[in-house]
Structures are given as C-alpha cells and as structure tokens.
C-alpha cells in the first residue's frame, strides 16, 4: 500500500488540509483533488472511487470529505483502516467539523497525519500515541523547568532578605547619626537647611518640630530604600504595553471560544482557597480550613461524607513566637479533634489552650504554609448534614433528552462561588438551556456544562436548571462534580485569644476561616 496524499476537502473540491507523502507536483495534486467531486455521484453507497491511475478512499464529515488518495495496487482493507484512523484524529484537533474549525486546526491535523502515515505507509499507532508524539512531552524538560523555577524562587527570597537588611542598616545609620548630633549641631544643621524659629532655645514647639522632622526623615528613608512598584513606576512604553494587552485579550478570547477555562486576574476575595489568599501582613495569622469529601447517590441517599480540618499558625517574626493559642468550638458533636504531638494535651483538654509541651520553646516562624497545631475529622451517614444536594432527572422524548437539575442548600451555610459541572454526551453544539437560575457555560472540548451561582444564601436555598440535548442514555450525565466555598465550618472552631508567654500586650493576629470542597460528586 502506498498513500499518495490525505486531505480534507469541501464538496466543491477546495482543499482545507492537504498532505502529500510521495514526490508529486503541486499541479498533479490539485488536479487529483479537483477531479474527485466530479467522480462521486449522488446516492452511491461506496466509500472509494477508482480511476485509471489512483484510488480515492473517502468518508463524509458533515459538509466535508476526508479523502485518502492511494495507488490502485494498494490493499483496500488497509486503505479503509488508514481512513478510519484519520477520521478518529480529526475531532481530536478540530473544535468544529466545518470549514472554519478545520482551517484553524490545519497545522495540528497535518502533524497528526504525519504520525499516522510515513513515506506513504501506515504506521502502527493509536490515537493516544499520536497525541503524545505531537505534544512532544518530555519528563526531562519538565524536571528542568521545575529546577529553574526553584532557583528563581530561591533568588527572589535572597533578594528580599538582602533588601530588608539594607533597609534596617540604613535606618540604624540614620538613627545613630541623629543621636550623635548635639542640640547645637542640630540647630545649626536646621539653620543650614533653611529652617528657622522665632523662639530661642528648645520650647514645646521646637521639640514637636524636631520629632516631626525625625519621623519624616525616617519615613522618607524607608520609602527610598524600597523597590519601586509597578503602580508608582512612570508609564514608559505605554503604547507597546497597550499593544501587548490587546494581543493577549485576542488570544484569551480565542481560547475561550475553544472551550478553555480562562481564570482572570482578580483581587483575592473572602472565601477563596488558601493558595489564593494574600500574603499575611499581621504578625500572626491563624487559618482554620475544612475540606469536604462527599459522594451522593443519583437515586438519593448518601454514599460517603468526610470532613477533614486543620488549624495552622503562621508567625512572621521570632519575637512573636513565644505564645499560646486559646480556641473554642461549638460545632457538630461528631467532630473529633487531635492536637499535634508537640502540643500540651493536658492544657488543651482542660482549658482549650494550644501550647507547646516546653513553654520555653517558641513556635516555628517565617513558615510559608504555617505550622499545623490541630486537626480534626468528621464522618456521618446522616444526609441532613450535607450542605448541598443535587437531583438530576434525564428523560428521553423522541429524538431529544430533557434534563432537569435541582439543588437544595442547607440553612447552616452560605455557599460562595458554586459551580455544578454536568458531563454531556459528545455533541458539537451547545445544549439548549431553557431555564436557569444563575449562569451557564459549555466547555465543548471536554463536553461539560457548568452551572455557576455566585452566592447561595437565604434568598435562594433552592434552584433549578433545564436543558435539552440529543437523545442519550441517562448515565451520560454522571458523575456530576460540585465545588464551592463557605466562611463557616462544621467544627465552628475559632481562636479567641493569643496569650504571650513573656508578658506584655497580646500581639495582633488575623484569622482566616474557610470550608471548601476537595471531592464532591453525585454518582
């Protein structure tokens, strides 16, 4: 078997994608492709056409033809096997089987055809292998990129530490310089700078002026030593930046059209995941986080319910690390708490205070992810504890399937950023959504319908969505995946006080509380 060329053409003979595998002139290829529409007639059931010199093996793809041109001596069974392999690859790379979709994926399709056919002969490969070869994934390359990213991160940390050391040294030098100057030298120095006073000596007004100038001097010194931020930088190259931004927006829009999920750069809000939280600015930050693993049955009932929580402590400086943390909880009675092995369990059991067994030891400081002090777990078979239940009702009527999905939320939680992802059968067009409370988006590449509700509170504890797709089996709409966040937890654990062990006022602390989903499905 020798494959001369493989193409995707319109019914008028226009080639959208064409790849030749043997030496032939361009005029001959165009002549062969142009003659094909005239050779096939209407109503014929054959999948090949023969001429004096070549054999056309073809398959209709909506309004197009997938065409393989071979010599007449080739095995027709091998020709059909090659055609079937190519037909499986086309939907993998083209987001729509029309002229626009095929043209946009032209280069990817040519590369894929090259992996299937080499020098006119079919290679023994699968669709997964072709995709892997085209993507050219390399474990060594990924490892190299991780090493480079790690080195960049370490360099940034070193730069931050050096910048902080420079700031401190400048401030100390300024303070020592000002303290070394006597009153007379200060007065003469101010006179040289053009500062005069009508009062002689150092009365209250001059003392206030001196204090204000010192504070101003220290503030300016700090500000000058800090690196300039992008917000304060002069708008150099504004036109070039606007051009890049416009190109970036066009690129993002094209990705969205292909069904990719594009996450915009937005300021972090309450209820986002721990990874999206802003860097701490308070001396001490306490994070209470619970992760939900829930499996609901499509016919009703609870398959699995598991909550795992952690309380972590993040301290910026070691001077604030000699502390104890007082907590309280009034949540579900089924929550089982377990402190860290280094925590004084007797103190925690009697007074709900988390402190180290050795009170002279400080907590670890300057930890990026903080240090865990307490963890807990809750498991239940009671369906009433589930914060959000989903009911999906597919019903076939004629050539369509009507799908109704309802949600019901518990009054114990206000849920934020709720996304209900429903898998759909392989369809090229978006489903017909006839009713919805919230917003929806269709990911055509993964064939998933996403139903989004920004906030579920007392005003919308229940809601519904209905859509229509071509007739499909009811199992095609499962498993349904759900994700959301909340600002209260099952344990209702809170930090009520930070107790300093070396005396003095309690240090300032910030508290972050979040409930999020790790694996929440309806199966």
């Amino acid at each position: 078997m020798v494959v001369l060329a493989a193409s995707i053409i319109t019914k008028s003979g226009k080639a959208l994608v064409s790849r030749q595998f043997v030496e032939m002139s361009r005029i001959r290829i165009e002549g062969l492709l142009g003659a094909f529409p005239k050779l096939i007639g209407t109503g014929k059931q054959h999948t090949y056409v023969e001429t004096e010199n070549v054999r056309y093996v073809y398959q209709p793809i909506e309004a197009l033809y997938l065409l393989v041109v071979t010599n007449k001596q080739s095995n027709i069974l091998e020709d059909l096997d090659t055609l079937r392999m190519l037909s499986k690859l086309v939907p993998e790379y083209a987001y729509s089987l029309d002229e626009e979709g095929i043209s946009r994926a032209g280069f990817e399709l040519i590369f894929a055809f090259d992996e299937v056919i080499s020098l006119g002969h079919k290679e023994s490969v699968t669709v997964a292998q072709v995709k892997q070869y085209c993507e050219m994934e390399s474990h060594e390359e990924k490892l190299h990129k991780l090493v480079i990213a790690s080195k960049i991160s370490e360099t940034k940390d070193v730069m931050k530490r050096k910048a902080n050391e420079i700031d401190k040294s400048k401030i100390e030098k300024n303070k020592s310089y000002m303290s070394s100057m006597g009153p007379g030298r200060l007065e003469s120095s101010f006179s040289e700078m053009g500062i005069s006073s009508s009062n002689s000596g150092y009365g209250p007004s001059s003392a206030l002026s001196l204090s204000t100038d010192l504070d101003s001097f220290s503030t300016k010194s700090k500000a000058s030593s800090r690196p300039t931020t992008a917000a304060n930088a002069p708008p150099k190259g504004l036109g070039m930046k606007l051009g890049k931004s416009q190109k970036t927006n066009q690129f993002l829009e094209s990705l969205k059209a292909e069904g990719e999920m594009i996450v915009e750069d937005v300021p972090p809000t309450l209820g986002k995941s721990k990874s999206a939280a802003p860097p701490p600015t308070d001396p001490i930050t306490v994070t209470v986080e619970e992760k939900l693993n829930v499996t609901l049955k499509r016919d009703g009932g609870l398959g699995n319910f598991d909550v795992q929580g952690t309380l972590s402590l993040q301290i910026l400086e070691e001077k604030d690390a000699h502390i104890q943390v007082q907590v309280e909880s009034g949540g579900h009675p089924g929550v089982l708490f377990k402190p860290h092995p280094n925590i004084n369990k007797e103190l925690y059991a009697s007074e709900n205070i988390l402190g180290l067994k050795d009170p002279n030891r400080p907590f670890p400081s300057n930890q990026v992810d903080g240090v865990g002090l307490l963890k807990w777990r809750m498991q239940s078979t009671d369906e009433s504890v589930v914060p959000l239940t989903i009911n999906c009702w597919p019903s076939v009527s004629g050539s369509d399937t009507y799908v109704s999905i309802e949600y019901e939320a518990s009054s114990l939680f206000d849920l934020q950023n709720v996304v209900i992802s429903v898998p759909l059968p392989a369809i090229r067009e978006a489903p017909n959504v006839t009713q919805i409370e919230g917003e929806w988006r269709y990911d055509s590449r993964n064939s998933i319908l996403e139903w989004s509700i920004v906030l579920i509170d007392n005003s919308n504890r229940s809601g519904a969505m209905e859509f229509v797709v071509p007739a499909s089996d009811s199992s095609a709409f499962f498993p349904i995946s759900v994700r959301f966040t909340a600002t209260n937890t099952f344990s209702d654990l809170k930090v009520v006080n930070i107790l300093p062990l070396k005396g003095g006022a309690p240090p300032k602390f910030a508290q972050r509380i979040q409930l999020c989903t790790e694996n929440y499905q309806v199966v």
Side-chain angles (χ1 to χ4, degrees), residues 3 10 57 63 67 86 119 221 263 323 354 386 421 437 469-470 493:
V3 178
T10 64
V57 186
L67 177 65
L86 297 180
L119 299 176
S221 175
V263 180
I323 57 172
L354 298 169
V386 177
S421 301
E437 298 177 23
V469 295
L493 185 74

Side-chain angles (χ1 to χ4, degrees), residues 112-140:
F113 288 177
D114 282 343
E115 297 296 336
V116 176
I117 303 171
S118 176
L119 299 176
H121 299 279
K122 181 180 180 299
E123 296 287 338
S124 179
V125 292
T126 63
V127 174
Q129 289 175 331
V130 171
K131 293 181 69 175
Q132 182 181 3
Y133 297 156
C134 291
E135 291 172 359
M136 294 187 295
E137 290 189 357
S138 171
H139 176 71
E140 289 76 9

